């Protein structure tokens, strides 16, 4: 069963109608809660179900707006978003602090009927009760009000953080009039720069800070001074440093965010925000997180030291560089990779036209999970490059829908992510509402009448986000709060996504996802061998970088003290002494663009990537043991992990799949650390 008429009509969204519509839904929902609470007794059907229904109405109205705000920003939309977000935050805080509602939910948990609830229903109730506590349900009125006020401030500042970052990214570019200066850049990037110039109504070339352009410049531009200029502009975005110093400065915003989180955590009885954050995660205790990260650090650092020594030596020998700087690292790393393995990501692009990769990826999930995806045309979307796919299972049952939006463009937020339009749930009449997800990337767009060509890194990113989408789409849970990615502890969320990445390193998969855009040839054996040989190239350095982000994030939330000044900078300095093998320039303000933790949900949770990678590497080894496409392991992963939503404890789910608890060794092996 397929629900074309249920899809959001993006072309019909009128900016001026958004706020009135959201206000109306909020008012209606509030009225309904009041009415519901007048009932004498409470049951699943007379309270939990209507609450889920009304939440569904709101999230389906808001999701397209917040999605457009991320991928098609305009001044009008930014204003409307700014107007609506406080209303929505207030609405949710009121619900979470509503004592009558809490008592009503609690009465269901204490009723005899509870024993007969299924596991999903019990988990919904359990999570609700936990979240009431985390929103300060037990606090006196003045403290409740303070908590709500902080929640509002946090909403405002995290939004401001993103706005500053987007403005700073778009607010700088480099106009080049002499083609010789672009020496080293791949043809595709030159073409991109040419089109950028046309968009800016200039002749020549324009280099921007959008990631495909920036990263290509840093890897390939021979002109060292240009690299320095671009590096400085990039790492000082939204800060007090660099070419636009102070214009979109996130310095006060970051401090305000940390202060608000800290005070909120303390209000509801935690020592700090890190502990508050762990209340809903697998890793329960801060010591456990820090020990995990530092163990990895101890194992990676000696290997990384060798990697950096090799790189410096190479830069000296080939570039006469006595002192390597941070803006030389990507450039010489790329050169070293080419010289050691005769390999370049750019060379691979020709073999990975985006559509072929998508088709191959779908063929893969057909093999391992029995899932089928088909494109639907003539869907109302927000951009001509957006595609829409429908998902069916092995029995031919419809399971969900997926939008993909793959290419970088102005007014689109940086990075790659998935988000949801709606979640699976069973409606009152017994019918299923099927889940729908958005998959967003920022790859280099199709240029020069060629198809879009991806690097292998892009392919990995696509598999990663597709893993998140599958997790949301194949769920069999019938209650929205714990179906798909909902209710999954944050440090387990990256498990299915990182798990999927593994396949794009398998020879059999590469044969399915590659096809030279001119000759149709799949990735040749020699290129495959080179690709595999580079898999562990600078793996320890990359590990160190991720550990730097993770330890920094965790420590600023764990150690935050409102009276300490420059704490963010100081902690970052301390962490870098452990994780950094190069002197970072004093102007570097990487933290000012660390949107994952200042504007996203990875706060005191960035460690989740490594945490979940232990699960994903170990889970994948089961396929190495039983065969890459082993259908039995595939179906077991589908049932135990992907379909389970947020109902089962992730550790229990893992054991059900693997037959034992996770071991860190698989991750160490994959990173060449043992
Ligand atoms: Zn992810």
């Amino acid at each position: 069963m397929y629900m074309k008429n249920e899809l959001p009509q993006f072309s019909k969204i009128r900016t001026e109608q958004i706020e009135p519509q959201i206000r109306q839904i909020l008012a209606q929902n509030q009225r309904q809660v009041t009415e519901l609470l007048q009932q004498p007794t409470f049951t699943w059907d007379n309270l939990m179900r209507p609450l889920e229904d009304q939440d569904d109405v709101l999230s389906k109205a808001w999701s397209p707006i917040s999605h457009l705000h991320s991928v098609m920003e305009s001044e009008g939309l930014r204003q409307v978003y700014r107007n609506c977000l406080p209303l929505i935050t207030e609405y949710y805080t009121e619900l979470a602090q509503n004592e009558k509602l809490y008592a009503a939910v609690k009465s269901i948990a204490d009723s005899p009927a509870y024993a007969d609830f299924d596991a999903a229903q019990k988990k919904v109730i359990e999570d609700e009760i936990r979240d009431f506590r985390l929103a300060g349900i037990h606090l006196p009125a003045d403290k409740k009000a303070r908590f709500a006020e902080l929640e509002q401030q946090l909403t405002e500042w995290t939004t401001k953080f993103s706005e500053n970052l987007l403005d700073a990214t778009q607010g700088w570019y480099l106009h080049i009039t002499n083609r010789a200066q672009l020496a080293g850049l791949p043809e595709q990037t030159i073409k991109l720069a040419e089109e950028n110039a046309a968009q800016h109504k200039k002749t020549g070339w324009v280099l921007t800070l959008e990631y495909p352009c920036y990263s290509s410049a840093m890897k390939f531009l021979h002109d060292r001074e240009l690299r320095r200029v671009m590096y400085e502009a990039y790492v000082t975005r939204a800060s007090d440093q660099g070419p636009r110093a102070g214009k979109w400065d996130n310095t006060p915003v970051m401090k305000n965010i940390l202060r608000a989180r800290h005070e909120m955590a303390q209000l509801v009885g935690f020592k700090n925000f890190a502990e508050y954050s762990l209340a809903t995660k697998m890793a329960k205790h801060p010591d456990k997180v820090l020990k995990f990260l530092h163990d990895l650090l101890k194992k990676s650092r000696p290997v990384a030291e060798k990697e950096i020594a090799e790189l410096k030596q190479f830069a000296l020998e080939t570039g006469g560089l006595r002192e390597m700087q941070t803006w030389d690292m990507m450039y010489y790393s790329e050169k070293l990779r080419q010289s050691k393995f005769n390999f370049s990501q750019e060379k691979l692009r020709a073999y990975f036209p985006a559509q072929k990769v998508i088709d191959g990826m779908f063929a893969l999930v057909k093999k391992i999970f029995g899932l089928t995806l088909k494109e639907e045309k003539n869907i109302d979307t927000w951009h001509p490059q957006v595609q829409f796919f429908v998902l069916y299972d092995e029995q031919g049952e419809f399971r969900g829908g997926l939008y993909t939006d793959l290419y970088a463009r102005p007014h689109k937020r940086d990075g790659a992510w998935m988000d949801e339009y709606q979640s699976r749930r069973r409606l009152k009449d017994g019918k299923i509402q099927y889940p729908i997800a958005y998959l967003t990337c920022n790859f280099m767009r199709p240029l020069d009448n060629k198809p879009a060509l991806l690097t292998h890194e892009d392919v990995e990113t696509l598999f990663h986000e597709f893993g998140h989408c599958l997790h949301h789409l194949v769920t069999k849970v019938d209650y929205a709060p714990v179906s798909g990615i909902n209710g999954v502890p944050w440090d387990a969320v990256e498990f299915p996504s990182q798990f999927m990445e593994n396949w794009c390193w398998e020879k059999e998969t590469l044969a399915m996802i590659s096809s030279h855009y001119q000759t149709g040839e799949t990735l040749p054996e020699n290129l495959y061998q080179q690709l595999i040989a580079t898999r562990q190239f600078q793996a320890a350095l990359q590990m160190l970088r991720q550990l730097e982000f993770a330890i920094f994030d965790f420590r600023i939330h764990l150690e935050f003290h409102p009276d300490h000044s420059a704490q963010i900078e100081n902690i970052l300095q301390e962490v870098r002494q452990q994780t950094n093998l190069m002197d970072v320039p004093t102007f570097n303000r990487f933290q000012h663009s660390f949107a994952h933790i200042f504007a996203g949900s990875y706060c005191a949770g960035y460690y989740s990537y490594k945490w979940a990678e232990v699960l994903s590497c170990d889970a994948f080894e089961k396929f190495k043991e039983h065969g890459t496409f082993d259908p039995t392991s595939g179906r077991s992963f589908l049932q135990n992990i992907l379909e389970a939503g947020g109902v089962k404890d992730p550790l229990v789910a893992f054991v059900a799949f693997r037959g034992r608890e996770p071991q860190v060794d698989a991750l160490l092996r994959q990173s060449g650390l043992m």
Side-chain angles (χ1 to χ4, degrees):
M1 193 204 62
Y2 164 58
M3 47 0 150
K4 203 162 182 172
N5 56 357
E6 281 180 42
L7 296 175
Q9 303 293 298
F10 286 97
S11 68
K12 299 208 177 75
I13 293 176
R14 297 286 169 267
T15 313
E16 64 280 4
Q17 289 167 358
I18 296 170
E19 192 180 330
Q21 193 208 353
I22 294 294
R23 281 185 184 274
Q24 193 223 325
I25 293 174
L26 292 175
Q28 194 183 322
N29 282 4
Q30 276 156 341
R31 265 198 309 276
Q32 199 190 329
V33 171
T34 312
E35 281 166 24
L36 288 173
L37 290 175
Q38 281 160 7
Q39 304 176 104
T41 54
F42 301 102
T43 64
W44 185 273
D45 284 335
N46 81 9
L47 185 70
M48 302 311 284
R49 187 193 297 282
L51 283 177
E52 189 185 304
D53 288 344
Q54 66 169 51
D55 194 48
D56 189 64
V57 173
L58 175 59
S59 66
K60 284 197 302 215
W62 183 241
S63 157
I65 309 305
S66 114
H67 182 64
L68 287 182
H69 177 255
S70 295
V71 299
M72 293 289 280
E73 222 230 18
S74 65
E75 228 170 276
L77 201 54
R78 179 180 284 197
Q79 197 47 52
V80 168
Y81 186 82
R82 284 202 138 263
N83 294 348
C84 291
L85 204 54
L87 304 174
I88 294 174
T89 307
E90 188 187 7
Y91 164 80
Y92 278 117
T93 311
E94 267 176 28
L95 273 186
Q97 291 188 342
N98 184 327
E99 284 170 39
K100 278 190 185 157
L101 184 59
Y102 174 65
V105 175
K106 198 84 174 42
S107 76
I108 300 177
D110 297 336
S111 71
Y114 185 78
D116 296 328
F117 284 179
D118 63 32
Q121 289 173 302
K122 284 181 180 163
K123 181 69 174 4
V124 171
I125 300 258
E126 242 174 62
D127 287 0
E128 284 273 335
I129 289 173
R130 177 197 69 192
D131 294 344
F132 276 118
R133 288 170 193 271
L134 291 176
I137 194 77
H138 296 296
L139 297 177
D142 58 331
K143 289 193 169 162
K144 265 201 189 105
R146 178 64 185 154
F147 189 94
E149 188 185 1
L150 289 165
E151 192 111 70
Q152 282 297 351
Q153 292 177 4
L154 201 51
T155 303
E156 192 175 316
W157 286 318
T158 50
T159 308
K160 188 74 197 150
F161 185 95
S162 301
E163 287 176 1
N164 281 341
L165 181 56
L166 186 63
D167 289 344
T169 305
Q170 317 255 307
W172 185 94
Y173 62 86
L174 195 60
H175 182 210
I176 310 264
T177 49
N178 175 4
R179 198 181 197 277
Q181 279 193 291
L182 300 179
L185 279 190
E187 269 312 307
Q188 265 216 315
T189 315
I190 294 180
K191 185 71 202 163
L192 181 70
E194 206 175 292
E195 287 190 6
N196 288 342
Q199 280 173 2
H200 282 90
K201 304 203 168 31
K202 290 195 174 342
T203 54
W205 302 267
V206 159
L207 299 176
T208 69
L209 298 180
E210 279 170 22
Y211 197 71
C213 186
Y214 170 73
S215 63
S216 188
M218 294 312 289
K219 279 181 199 160
F220 300 109
L221 265 183
H222 292 331
D223 190 325
R224 193 182 186 203
E225 176 57 16
L226 273 194
R227 289 202 311 269
R228 189 197 62 75
V229 167
M230 291 218 37
Y231 172 84
E232 186 182 352
Y234 191 78
V235 302
T236 57
R237 282 176 302 159
S239 80
D240 57 334
Q241 298 286 317
R244 295 284 185 272
K247 181 134 193 230
W248 296 285
D249 191 1
N250 270 335
T251 309
V253 181
M254 292 150 64
K255 176 121 197 219
N256 287 335
I257 289 172
L258 290 183
R259 193 200 308 256
R261 285 178 183 155
H262 184 74
E263 193 184 334
M264 285 166 77
Q266 290 205 327
L267 272 173
V268 294
F270 294 88
K271 286 212 268 305
N272 50 64
F273 184 79
E275 289 191 2
Y276 179 86
S277 146
L278 293 189
T280 54
K281 294 187 170 73
M282 269 177 93
K284 304 291 173 241
H285 202 276
D287 291 346
K288 210 168 163 186
V289 173
L290 287 171
K291 183 177 181 310
F292 168 70
L293 295 172
H294 281 108
D295 279 353
L296 282 177
L297 178 60
K298 217 165 102 189
K299 293 204 166 78
S300 326
R301 195 176 157 119
V303 184
E305 276 166 1
K306 283 186 203 141
E307 290 172 359
I308 201 89
E310 181 189 30
L311 185 63
K312 282 183 175 168
Q313 183 63 27
F314 178 78
L316 177 67
E317 282 167 14
T318 59
L321 224 57
R322 299 214 165 273
E323 224 174 309
M324 192 169 67
Q325 301 289 347
T326 37
W327 49 88
D328 300 317
M329 276 190 77
M330 281 168 81
Y331 179 79
Y332 282 100
S333 293
E334 192 60 30
K335 291 256 172 307
L336 176 60
R337 194 202 311 257
Q338 284 184 33
S339 114
K340 273 180 94 162
F341 308 104
N342 184 27
F343 173 83
S344 125
Q345 286 278 350
E346 290 302 311
K347 209 156 64 179
L348 256 57
R349 274 191 197 270
Y351 291 92
F352 295 122
Q355 195 57 51
K356 176 67 193 178
V357 177
I358 287 175
D359 292 344
M361 185 168 76
F362 291 171
L364 170 73
V365 296
K366 171 109 198 165
K367 262 186 169 155
I368 46 181
F369 303 134
L371 301 168
T372 305
L373 287 111
K374 284 189 202 143
E375 182 170 8
E376 284 276 333
K377 302 268 190 189
N378 304 318
I379 297 289
D380 188 346
T381 71
W382 55 95
H383 193 276
Q385 283 168 339
V386 174
Q387 290 176 285
F388 184 76
F389 301 93
V390 285
L391 174 75
Y392 296 90
D393 65 18
E394 230 164 345
Q395 285 71 42
E397 194 199 330
F398 177 71
R399 295 289 279 273
L402 170 69
Y403 294 94
T404 61
D405 178 0
L406 301 185
Y407 309 109
R409 59 175 176 263
H411 311 292
K412 180 172 171 182
R413 183 154 66 79
D414 215 3
W417 69 92
M418 78 75 71
D419 205 349
E420 58 182 282
Y421 168 62
Q422 64 181 24
S423 300
R424 177 182 167 114
R425 57 195 209 97
R426 190 173 289 278
L427 308 175
K428 202 175 173 191
D429 61 8
K431 285 197 186 122
I432 300 284
Q433 167 180 300
Y434 291 94
I436 298 172
Y438 314 107
L439 188 164
T440 313
C441 296
N442 270 284
F443 303 145
M444 206 182 273
R445 63 180 179 265
L447 292 162
D448 222 6
N449 297 320
K450 286 182 202 161
L453 300 172
L454 308 186
T455 63
H456 188 260
E457 283 166 358
D458 293 340
V459 173
E460 227 181 338
T461 302
L462 183 63
F463 272 64
H464 177 107
E465 300 308 333
F466 185 55
H468 283 307
C469 292
L470 283 180
H471 195 190
H472 192 60
L473 297 180
V474 302
T475 187
K476 282 209 161 162
V477 178
D478 287 343
Y479 305 94
V482 290
S483 80
I485 55 169
N486 302 327
V488 177
W490 199 266
D491 43 5
V493 157
E494 297 296 331
F495 173 20
S497 54
Q498 298 187 108
F499 172 78
M500 284 307 292
E501 287 177 28
N502 288 289
W503 263 279
C504 50
W505 294 93
E506 292 302 306
K507 192 172 179 173
E508 297 95 324
T509 320
L510 283 160
M512 293 157 71
I513 61 174
S514 65
S515 166
H516 193 285
Y517 79 99
Q518 287 165 321
T519 65
E521 183 195 7
T522 58
L523 192 70
E525 178 66 22
N526 67 326
L527 283 182
Y528 166 72
Q529 291 299 343
Q530 289 165 12
L531 174 68
I532 295 306
T534 61
R535 188 173 188 183
Q536 289 176 354
F537 177 67
Q538 294 187 344
L541 276 171
Q542 280 179 31
M543 172 80 85
L544 244 54
R545 197 174 137 79
Q546 288 300 310
L547 292 173
E548 177 178 315
F549 297 166
I551 297 172
F552 166 65
D553 159 52
F554 204 76
R555 281 191 53 193
I556 55 170
H557 287 102
L558 183 69
E559 295 168 32
F560 179 82
H561 195 292
D563 300 337
H564 291 178
S565 64
Q567 208 182 6
I568 298 176
E569 290 68 31
N570 293 340
I571 290 178
L572 185 57
Q573 282 306 328
E574 281 176 35
V575 175
R576 277 181 174 158
Q577 277 165 14
Q578 300 171 305
T579 58
N580 235 296
L581 306 175
M582 290 272 298
D583 286 337
V584 179
T586 50
F587 60 72
N588 181 302
R589 292 288 183 275
F590 134 79
Q591 65 274 31
H592 289 65
S593 58
F594 197 5
H596 270 86
I597 69 163
F598 287 111
S601 312
Y602 290 83
C603 36
Y606 197 86
Y607 76 88
S608 301
Y609 281 106
K610 285 295 153 206
W611 187 269
E613 208 178 352
V614 171
L615 306 180
S616 69
C617 288
D618 196 355
F620 187 68
E621 285 204 347
K622 187 165 178 190
F623 288 85
K624 300 301 271 181
E625 291 154 16
H626 293 89
T628 313
F629 301 130
D630 176 40
T632 313
S633 304
R635 294 337 184 250
S636 164
F637 191 83
L638 180 69
Q639 283 159 17
N640 286 303
I641 313 290
L642 292 178
E643 289 179 353
V647 179
K648 247 195 255 175
D649 179 312
L651 193 61
V652 174
F654 182 92
V655 172
F657 168 71
R658 195 67 174 106
R660 58 161 174 75
E661 296 214 348
Q663 296 167 355
V664 73
D665 298 17
L667 170 61
L668 297 176
R669 265 194 294 279
Q670 196 181 89
S671 310
L673 299 173
M674 72 175 276

